[in-house]
């Protein structure tokens, strides 16, 4: 028999949990919002994955604020453990997996109470992309950071004056040499960006952004140009005598099968999306045009077999300029429209 006395409180034990120590108060809470300045530096961008819609980067974020509670009489700078004082509790909203914080969680305070906190974030971040213009697309990539427990009216985030002094008016800069090779960063930006957690409810936040343009030469050289050559190969049937049925049909079928095989070969290089990108539309249009050339061959060989050779030759002569004209016009419309 289990004695219920085992579950009774021990003698001298307090009934209920011990009270937690009071949390440090937000500086100058009576005077209005706490001024927190930021200075962000994007040290590297290692990868942008269009298929997974993520990017990997590391960035350094410096925050400054004034806290009279940290004022001291000691000479020089004093260190405080982050959890022992009030500080902006940061959370990366769009992190995927674990974003590593590689620097010690320490705040440095000067005798007048000016606090400085620096942290380096390394990891991967989710990013919804608009890839309709792929592979000639560009997008803005964002690291969204929020200050937990505080509304935008309580925390005022502004660019650090020292960042403005060195020519970074938005409080963010980027390294001159990056690991990533298939994208080119064109601009960086940072701004206070409240995060909506529910309708009518938001918390203070910061958005660190960079805009990048995809370098499309890889897809031009390895996807688009070979595809154009395959389509042009299918046009050779228009210069073959309609009576040479075997050669015409064989060439048209070969072009069609080559295009299908090529489509499977490049499938791993293009993102799988519920909508058509420009490259998808171009590949689909090319496939339709090659299939129509196969139909044209079947028609002309049938006409030649029924003693209507001159009509078959006339159709071939018109197709010699109609197909290239349609291909060039529609193809330009797909990529330039």
């Amino acid at each position: 028999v289990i004695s219920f006395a085992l579950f009774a409180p021990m003698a001298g034990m307090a009934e209920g949990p011990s009270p937690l120590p009071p949390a440090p108060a937000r500086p100058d809470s009576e005077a209005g919002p706490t001024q927190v300045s930021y200075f962000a530096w994007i040290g590297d961008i290692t990868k942008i994955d269009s298929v997974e819609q993520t990017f990997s980067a590391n960035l350094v974020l410096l925050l400054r604020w004034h806290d009279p509670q940290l004022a001291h009489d000691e000479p020089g700078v004093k260190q405080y453990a982050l959890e022992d004082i009030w500080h902006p509790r940061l959370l990366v909203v769009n992190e995927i997996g674990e974003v590593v914080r590689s620097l010690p969680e320490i705040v440095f305070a000067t005798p007048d109470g000016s606090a400085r906190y620096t942290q380096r974030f390394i990891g991967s971040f989710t990013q919804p992309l608009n890839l309709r213009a792929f592979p000639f697309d560009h997008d803005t990539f964002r690291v969204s950071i929020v200050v937990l427990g505080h509304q935008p009216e309580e925390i005022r985030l502004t660019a650090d004056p020292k960042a403005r002094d060195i020519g970074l008016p938005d409080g963010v800069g980027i390294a001159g040499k990056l690991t990533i090779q298939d994208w080119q960063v064109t601009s960086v930006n940072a701004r206070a960006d409240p995060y909506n957690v529910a309708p009518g409810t938001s918390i203070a936040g910061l958005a660190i952004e960079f805009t990048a343009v995809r370098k499309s030469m890889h897809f031009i050289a390895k996807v688009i140009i070979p595809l154009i050559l395959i389509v042009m190969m299918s046009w050779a049937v228009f210069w073959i005598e309609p009576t040479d049925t075997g050669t015409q049909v064989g060439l048209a079928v070969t072009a069609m099968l080559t295009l299908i095989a090529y489509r499977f070969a490049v499938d791993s290089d293009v993102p799988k999306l519920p909508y058509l990108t420009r490259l998808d539309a171009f590949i689909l249009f090319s496939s339709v045009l090659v299939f129509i050339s196969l139909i044209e061959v079947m028609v002309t060989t049938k006409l030649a077999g029924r003693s209507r050779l001159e009509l078959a030759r006339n159709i071939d002569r018109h197709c010699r300029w109609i197909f290239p004209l349609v291909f060039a016009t529609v193809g330009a419309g797909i990529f330039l429209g």
Side-chain angles (χ1 to χ4, degrees):
V1 179
I2 300 176
S3 173
F4 286 97
L6 294 174
F7 299 95
M10 295 178 60
M13 179 182 294
E15 296 190 13
S18 300
L20 295 174
R26 176 171 63 86
D28 301 324
S29 57
E30 299 83 4
T34 300
Q35 306 286 335
V36 178
S37 65
Y38 59 83
F39 180 12
W41 181 260
I42 301 176
D44 198 7
I45 302 168
T46 56
K47 182 181 180 182
I48 296 177
D49 192 328
S50 299
V51 177
E52 298 293 334
Q53 301 205 30
T54 62
F55 68 95
S56 300
N58 75 75
L59 60 93
V60 177
L61 179 62
L62 182 147
L63 299 179
R64 300 179 192 269
W65 66 93
H66 182 265
D67 188 349
Q69 302 170 94
L70 303 182
H72 57 87
D73 297 328
E74 299 179 11
V77 176
K78 189 174 181 180
Q79 297 183 16
Y80 294 90
L82 192 65
E83 65 272 11
D84 293 340
I85 63 171
W86 180 91
H87 64 279
R89 295 168 52 209
L90 304 180
L91 174 68
V92 181
V93 177
N94 62 327
E95 67 179 2
I96 181 170
E98 180 182 2
V99 173
V100 177
R101 302 189 182 199
S102 62
L103 298 181
E105 298 282 33
I106 295 175
V107 172
F108 298 92
T110 59
D112 66 349
S114 296
R116 184 184 80 245
Y117 169 66
T118 306
Q119 189 52 261
R120 184 187 185 202
F121 300 89
I122 305 173
S124 297
F125 310 88
T126 59
Q127 173 67 43
L129 301 177
N130 182 3
L131 298 173
R132 296 186 185 277
F134 177 87
F136 303 101
D137 54 324
H138 68 279
D139 221 312
T140 298
F141 301 82
R142 179 182 299 106
V143 177
S144 297
I145 302 175
V146 297
V147 181
L148 293 176
H150 294 288
Q151 298 178 351
E153 297 78 14
E154 299 174 325
I155 301 292
R156 180 173 296 168
L157 292 162
T158 58
D160 193 280
K162 293 187 177 180
R164 295 196 294 265
D165 292 343
I166 61 175
L168 301 174
D170 294 328
V172 61
I174 190 169
K177 190 174 183 180
L178 303 174
T179 301
I180 191 169
Q181 298 294 316
D182 53 341
W183 289 76
Q184 180 179 357
V185 177
T186 57
S187 64
V188 292
N189 177 55
R191 68 182 192 281
D193 185 30
Y195 183 77
N196 294 322
V197 294
T201 303
S202 60
I203 55 178
L206 173 67
I208 303 170
E209 301 174 334
F210 65 91
T211 300
V213 178
R214 189 190 303 273
K215 297 179 181 178
S216 56
M217 186 53 64
H218 165 80
F219 295 95
I220 293 175
K222 294 188 177 182
V223 179
I224 296 176
I225 291 179
L227 184 60
I228 292 174
L229 296 177
I230 293 173
V231 175
M232 293 175 65
M233 180 181 72
S234 70
W235 300 340
V237 297
F238 306 142
W239 275 264
I240 299 175
E241 188 66 24
T243 55
D244 193 353
T245 304
T247 303
Q248 275 197 324
V249 174
L251 182 57
V253 171
T254 299
M256 192 69 201
L257 294 177
T258 302
L259 186 62
I260 293 173
Y262 183 73
R263 181 65 182 88
F264 281 106
V266 302
D267 190 61
S268 60
D269 289 336
V270 298
K272 298 173 179 60
L273 302 167
Y275 54 84
L276 288 180
T277 66
R278 290 186 178 181
L279 183 61
D280 292 331
F282 184 68
I283 293 175
L284 179 60
F285 168 67
S286 300
S287 303
V288 171
L289 203 62
V290 171
F291 180 74
I292 293 175
S293 68
L294 175 61
I295 298 299
E296 192 273 350
V297 166
M298 304 301 295
V299 171
T300 55
T301 54
K302 193 70 172 179
L303 291 172
R306 294 184 177 181
S307 301
R308 303 181 67 180
L309 182 59
E310 191 56 37
L311 177 58
R313 289 173 177 171
N314 192 38
I315 293 175
D316 278 345
R317 282 193 294 268
H318 283 80
C319 288
R320 290 171 189 174
W321 62 268
I322 291 176
F323 273 69
L325 179 62
V326 171
F327 184 65
T329 303
V330 177
I334 290 174
F335 288 122
L336 302 178

